[in-house]
Amino acid sequence: MSTIRNQSLAPEGKLKINWVKEHMPVLNELAREFRETKPFAGLRVAICLHLEAKTAYMAKVVQESGAQVTITGSNPLSTQDDVAAALVEDGLTVHSWYNATDEEYEDHLHKTMQSEPHLIIDDGGDLVAMLHSQYPQMIDNVRGGAEETTTGLIRLRAMAADGELKIPMMAVNDAFCKYLFDNRYGTGQSVWDGIMRATNLVVAGKTVVVIGYGWCGKGVAMRARGLGARVIVCEVDPVKAVEAIMDGNSVMPMLDAAAEGNIFVTVTGCRDAITKEHYENMKDGAILCNAGHFDLEIDKGPLEELAENKRLARKNVEAYEFNGKTIYLIAEGRLVNLAAADGHPAEIMDMSFALQVEALHYLNSNHGKLPNDVLTLPQAVDDKVARRKLQAMGVSIDTLSKAQECYLTSWKAE
Ligand SMILES: NC(=O)c1ccc[n+]([C@@H]2O[C@H](COP(=O)([O-])OP(=O)(O)OC[C@H]3O[C@@H](n4cnc5c(N)ncnc54)[C@H](O)[C@@H]3O)[C@@H](O)[C@H]2O)c1
C-alpha cells in the first residue's frame, strides 16, 4: 500500500515522466539492455531521492530491470504529488507527499525501510542512517547502497571512520559523470530557475553572494555572471578562494559580503553559513536561498527571533521585517532548485541516474565480495556513461594510436 496525496493526479505525472524520458538517452539505452537481462529480478530496491519526474523515470527503469521498488522523497518540499501518483499507477510503492511535516517525512522513511530492501539508493544519507540505527536486523539482507550527493558521502565517511558502516556504499556523487555535470551545470542552471520562478525579478545588475565554491557553487556563480550579476564568493578553503578570484568573482568574508549582496545562495554542505550577524548587516530587500542538501545552511532561528513581522510575500517566498528593512527567504531555506523548481535538467540527470542504476548493478554483481566501506565506481562505468552520452549527442572523439599509447606508458625518452 502506498502513502500518497492524490491518485487522480497520475495523468499529469505521466506527462512529466514521458517528457524527461525523451531527454534521457543514456538511461534509455541502459533500460533497453536491462529490460532484456533483468539483473534485479527477485530483488527489492528502496529509493530515497527527490521525487520528481527524472527520479521517477529512473525508478521505473529499476522496476523494469526486475526489481520490486519502494520509493520515498529525500526532502519534504521536493516531492511532486502528480509524479508520485503516476508511479503508483505503474505498480511502484510510494510513501511521500509534498510539504510533509517532519513527522510525516520520518514516517515515509520508516515505511520505505520496512520494504526490507536488498539494495538502496539514498540521497543525503537519511535512509542508510535509519537502516543502521533503527533496523539493524535488516542489515544482513542488504547487498549495498548507492549515495547521490556530497552531504550523504560526508555522513557515510563519518560512519565508516567510526567503524559503523555495515554495508558497501557506492559513492555515485564522486563519479566524474556525476559531479562535473550534475553539481556544476545542473545546480548552476536549476538554482537560477528556482530563484527566478520564485521571485520573477531580474538578476542582471544585482550583486549575488555565493557561499561555498565547490562544484555546486562554481556552477551557481558561473550562471550568475552569465545573467549579468556581479558575483561575490565566500569560502573557507584558500585554494577555492583563489580559484574563485581567477574565475572572475570577488572574494571576501561573509560579514562584509552581507552588506553588499542583493541575492544570497548557500552551497556549503555546512551549517550556519548565514546567521544573525549577517542578517543585521544586510540591505533592505535582500533575498536568501539555499542549494545545499539540508536546510541548516541558513540559520533560521535568529531570523525568526529578529522578525517584528513575518508574512508570505509570494508563493515560496517569506518576508521577515525588522529594523525598518525586509529580508526574503525562498522555500524555507530548503533546496531552492527542487523546492521552487523541477531540479536539474533531464539531460544532466540522464548521466547521474544511469550511474545510479549501474551502481546497483555493480553492487549486485559483486555481492559478497565488496568491503563495508564507501567505494568509488570503476572508471570503466564512468567511461561507458560518457561514451553513451557522446553517442547520443552525435559526437565522436579520437582514439590513441599504438605509438601514442606506448609513449604515454613509457618512461624512456625516445
Ligand atoms: N541543489 C542540488 O540539487 C544539489 C546538487 C548536488 C549537491 N548538492 C549539495 O550541495 C552542497 C555542496 O555540494 P558540493 O558538491 O558543491 O560540495 P563541495 O564539497 O564541492 O563544496 C562545498 C564548498 O563549501 C565550502 N564551505 C564549507 N563550509 C563553508 C562555510 N561555512 N563558509 C564558506 N564556505 C564553506 C567548502 O570549502 C567547499 O569548497 C552539499 O550539501 C551537496 O549535497 C545540492
Side-chain angles (χ1 to χ4, degrees):
M1 264 286 278
S2 290
T3 324
I4 61 162
R5 195 68 95 187
N6 185 349
Q7 188 56 54
S8 73
L9 299 174
E12 285 162 55
K14 273 213 161 122
L15 269 184
K16 289 182 180 176
I17 297 170
N18 287 342
W19 170 257
V20 299
K21 182 178 171 182
E22 286 169 26
H23 300 276
M24 299 179 84
V26 180
L27 196 53
N28 288 339
E29 190 63 27
L30 203 54
R32 259 190 293 280
E33 191 182 320
F34 284 2
R35 240 180 253 127
E36 294 288 313
T37 54
K38 298 257 186 279
F40 307 136
L43 298 181
R44 290 182 297 276
V45 176
I47 301 178
C48 175
L49 279 171
H50 298 291
L51 216 179
E52 46 67 62
K54 282 93 65 185
T55 299
Y57 177 50
M58 190 266 286
K60 276 165 62 80
V61 171
V62 175
Q63 183 202 38
E64 288 166 13
S65 308
Q68 199 179 314
V69 178
T70 305
I71 185 165
T72 186
S74 57
N75 186 292
L77 291 187
S78 63
T79 293
Q80 300 190 9
D81 290 326
D82 49 4
V83 170
L87 283 184
V88 172
E89 201 162 283
D90 283 341
L92 288 86
T93 305
V94 184
H95 302 294
S96 190
W97 54 54
Y98 173 73
N99 211 5
T101 62
D102 289 348
E103 295 73 39
E104 288 165 348
Y105 178 76
E106 187 89 358
D107 179 52
H108 295 156
L109 285 175
H110 276 291
K111 287 191 161 86
T112 303
M113 264 323 303
Q114 286 156 11
S115 67
E116 300 189 21
H118 299 100
L119 293 164
I120 293 175
I121 297 180
D122 209 356
D123 183 350
D126 283 348
L127 208 54
V128 171
M130 182 176 268
L131 166 73
H132 284 75
S133 60
Q134 301 188 50
Y135 296 92
Q137 74 282 8
M138 286 186 194
I139 286 177
D140 284 350
N141 197 41
V142 178
R143 299 182 179 191
E147 171 53 51
E148 172 75 2
T149 198
T150 317
T151 285
L153 288 180
I154 291 171
R155 292 175 82 187
L156 288 173
R157 290 195 167 110
M159 281 176 84
D162 285 349
E164 295 294 334
L165 185 63
K166 308 288 186 216
I167 57 171
M169 285 297 304
M170 302 309 299
V172 170
N173 181 73
D174 288 359
F176 292 114
C177 282
K178 196 319 186 148
Y179 70 86
L180 286 177
F181 307 104
D182 176 315
N183 299 31
R184 183 168 41 169
Y185 296 102
T187 313
Q189 179 168 325
S190 62
V191 158
W192 289 104
D193 184 13
I195 294 171
M196 290 190 279
R197 284 198 214 185
T199 64
N200 192 27
L201 295 174
V202 73
V203 181
K206 296 244 164 74
T207 296
V208 168
V209 179
V210 179
I211 306 141
Y213 203 67
W215 290 106
C216 294
K218 284 189 238 295
V220 174
M222 172 174 63
R223 291 296 174 245
R225 292 194 304 275
L227 287 164
R230 169 192 171 225
V231 180
I232 299 173
V233 167
C234 301
E235 251 296 345
V236 291
D237 178 330
V239 176
K240 302 272 177 60
V242 174
E243 191 183 11
I245 294 170
M246 297 260 179
D247 285 345
N249 309 285
S250 303
V251 171
M252 63 183 73
M254 179 54 196
L255 199 56
D256 298 335
E260 296 200 26
N262 303 113
I263 301 175
F264 294 81
V265 186
T266 54
V267 248
T268 64
C270 183
R271 60 177 307 140
D272 307 334
I274 306 184
T275 188
K276 187 171 181 196
E277 53 183 356
H278 305 131
Y279 303 133
E280 285 168 342
N281 250 15
M282 282 176 188
K283 291 187 211 178
D284 179 30
I287 295 168
L288 318 184
C289 65
N290 167 51
H293 187 79
F294 285 116
D295 63 335
L296 39 62
E297 303 208 12
I298 299 174
D299 185 10
K300 284 182 282 184
L303 194 55
E304 299 280 346
E305 281 161 27
L306 281 169
E308 293 146 17
N309 185 38
K310 179 181 163 186
R311 63 185 163 83
L312 184 69
R314 203 178 133 87
K315 186 183 171 203
N316 277 329
V317 184
E318 275 173 323
Y320 294 80
E321 295 167 342
F322 61 97
N323 295 346
K325 66 182 177 186
T326 307
I327 307 277
Y328 299 102
L329 177 65
I330 304 180
E332 301 171 11
R334 299 194 189 272
L335 292 149
V336 62
N337 55 329
L338 283 140
D342 291 311
H344 296 353
E347 300 98 320
I348 297 284
M349 295 316 291
D350 186 25
M351 288 187 282
S352 302
F353 285 161
L355 287 166
Q356 281 289 4
V357 178
E358 290 279 11
L360 290 191
H361 184 44
Y362 180 78
L363 284 164
N364 197 41
S365 312
N366 292 284
H367 176 44
K369 294 187 228 154
L370 300 171
N372 296 334
D373 208 342
V374 180
L375 310 170
T376 311
L377 269 170
Q379 182 62 44
V381 174
D382 237 333
D383 288 349
K384 177 179 169 189
V385 169
R387 285 192 189 283
R388 282 189 166 168
K389 193 71 182 171
L390 285 171
Q391 198 181 10
M393 291 166 154
V395 174
S396 49
I397 58 170
D398 296 316
T399 45
L400 292 171
S401 67
K402 273 276 164 263
Q404 286 172 323
E405 257 179 49
C406 282
Y407 176 76
L408 290 175
T409 50
S410 155
W411 57 273
K412 292 178 189 160
E414 287 263 323

